[in-house]
Amino acid sequence: MGYQQLIATLWQQYSQEITAARKIHELFEREGETVVNDHIALRTFDDPRVDVDVLATPFVKAGYVEQGHYHFPAKHLFAKYYVHAHDVSAPKIFISELMVHQFSEWLQDAVAALLAAIPERLLNHPDQLISCGVPWGVPSYAIYEQLLAESQYAAWMYAFGYRANHFTVSVNHLKKYPTIERVNQFLKQQGFTLNSENGEVKGTLVDRLQQSSTMAEKKQVKFQEGICEIPSCYYEFALRYPDEQGVLYQGFVPASADKIFESTHHDPKQS
Ligand code: NI
């Protein structure tokens, strides 16, 4: 499968679900902008059946090359990112995995049970796994909450499964909104809520990457116990700066990504 098709499938699934992403995408297009994706983020667990390398397989087959990796010790995450070898306009693919063995035995067992429930067909076809949604049946809210107590990321994976966690608009490609501040101002005027953890703009000129994001959209999810509203996915915006040679920085900034992971934060007392 070509990478354009993999990305189109992920976008269709994501934009159908995430109203804010669909609306913002439409708003920019109505403003005469061409929306180019900077990167797409996928999530998984570090089990060798479904880890970052497995999820990357269809992209690598379609011409992507591993470019670097990051550790997020506070969140117990590891991530790699991939860049297309020839197509400079292709979005980067950022894939993170939860270091499951760093959590309680209860969480490790819970994740093992989820992985055991994934159909063999999907494990054998990572190109289908990446956008299969929840492959382990209807989730239990009790388990969701217990996962949430240890890891927001694990709880998100449990409730939403395999799909894009976020798409990211390349601000470098916008004409009327050439800075993160302009993008943020426009979105707030349009009534969207931004992630303001440590300020709305993550990263500085020195980092060569500035980012912002909407707060994750609340979605009604069917649990065994009934329907519950929980945070799902967010839309991200990235502006990259050139280095001394004039080449745009293509990597990521762990400290900023760490804060952006908070966009799917869920405080059960507040929802
Ligand atoms: Ni991102």
Side-chain angles (χ1 to χ4, degrees), residues 1-267:
M1 206 186 290
Y3 61 94
Q4 293 98 335
Q5 201 187 334
L6 293 166
I7 292 165
T9 305
L10 285 165
W11 171 255
Q12 196 183 21
Q13 179 188 35
Y14 169 84
S15 61
Q16 244 167 34
E17 179 107 352
I18 309 307
T19 317
R22 191 172 62 240
K23 281 192 179 157
I24 292 169
H25 190 273
E26 282 170 9
L27 276 171
F28 278 135
E29 290 201 322
R30 220 174 297 153
E31 295 282 305
E33 301 284 6
T34 305
V35 178
V36 173
N37 292 310
D38 177 87
H39 67 272
I40 302 167
L42 305 177
R43 292 179 165 190
T44 190
F45 299 109
D46 66 352
D47 185 282
R49 288 168 292 176
V50 296
D51 64 11
V52 166
D53 294 333
V54 172
L55 259 60
T57 316
F59 294 100
V60 170
K61 274 190 189 158
Y64 273 83
V65 179
E66 186 183 322
Q67 206 68 21
H69 66 266
Y70 298 102
H71 292 276
F72 301 93
K75 303 233 165 8
H76 306 283
L77 296 172
F78 173 72
K80 289 183 182 177
Y81 78 100
Y82 301 80
V83 172
H84 196 275
H86 313 297
D87 183 355
V88 289
S89 71
K92 288 166 272 297
I93 307 295
F94 182 93
I95 312 177
S96 58
E97 64 186 18
L98 190 71
M99 316 290 282
V100 177
H101 59 279
Q102 295 179 7
F103 290 89
S104 74
E105 225 162 281
W106 178 86
L107 186 142
Q108 294 183 41
D109 289 349
V111 171
L114 299 183
L115 298 180
I118 301 180
E120 197 73 18
R121 168 181 63 81
L122 290 171
L123 295 176
N124 293 332
H125 292 95
D127 56 325
Q128 293 169 29
L129 178 70
I130 57 169
S131 56
C132 74
V134 176
W136 35 72
V138 179
S140 141
Y141 193 76
I143 293 177
Y144 173 81
E145 270 199 310
Q146 203 169 338
L147 287 170
L148 197 58
E150 285 195 57
S151 161
Q152 171 277 128
Y153 185 106
W156 186 91
M157 268 308 290
Y158 178 54
F160 295 104
Y162 291 94
R163 60 179 61 240
N165 173 264
H166 61 271
F167 271 71
T168 306
V169 174
S170 167
V171 176
N172 294 78
H173 288 85
L174 298 177
K175 296 181 203 77
K176 286 198 226 165
Y177 305 95
T179 65
I180 285 282
E181 288 81 3
R182 290 284 294 279
V183 169
N184 289 353
Q185 189 191 12
F186 173 62
L187 297 178
K188 285 189 287 183
Q189 276 168 2
Q190 300 290 333
F192 294 98
T193 311
L194 301 176
N195 174 343
S196 55
E197 168 98 10
N198 276 31
E200 283 170 0
V201 180
K202 275 80 177 166
T204 64
L205 235 146
V206 176
D207 296 320
R208 299 212 169 89
L209 171 63
Q210 285 186 313
Q211 288 169 278
S212 68
S213 74
T214 62
M215 280 310 280
E217 195 160 307
K218 291 271 175 80
K219 277 282 149 197
Q220 305 233 323
V221 172
K222 191 178 161 228
F223 286 97
Q224 290 165 22
E225 295 91 337
I227 306 272
C228 272
E229 207 172 69
I230 60 169
S232 60
C233 305
Y234 52 89
Y235 206 20
E236 197 172 273
F237 311 92
L239 178 64
R240 295 181 179 277
Y241 291 93
D243 60 19
E244 291 81 3
Q245 283 78 43
V247 180
L248 281 188
Y249 178 63
Q250 293 300 310
F252 292 85
V253 181
S256 302
D258 212 52
K259 289 298 161 220
I260 287 202
F261 278 121
E262 299 289 340
S263 300
T264 58
H265 179 73
H266 182 203
D267 184 350

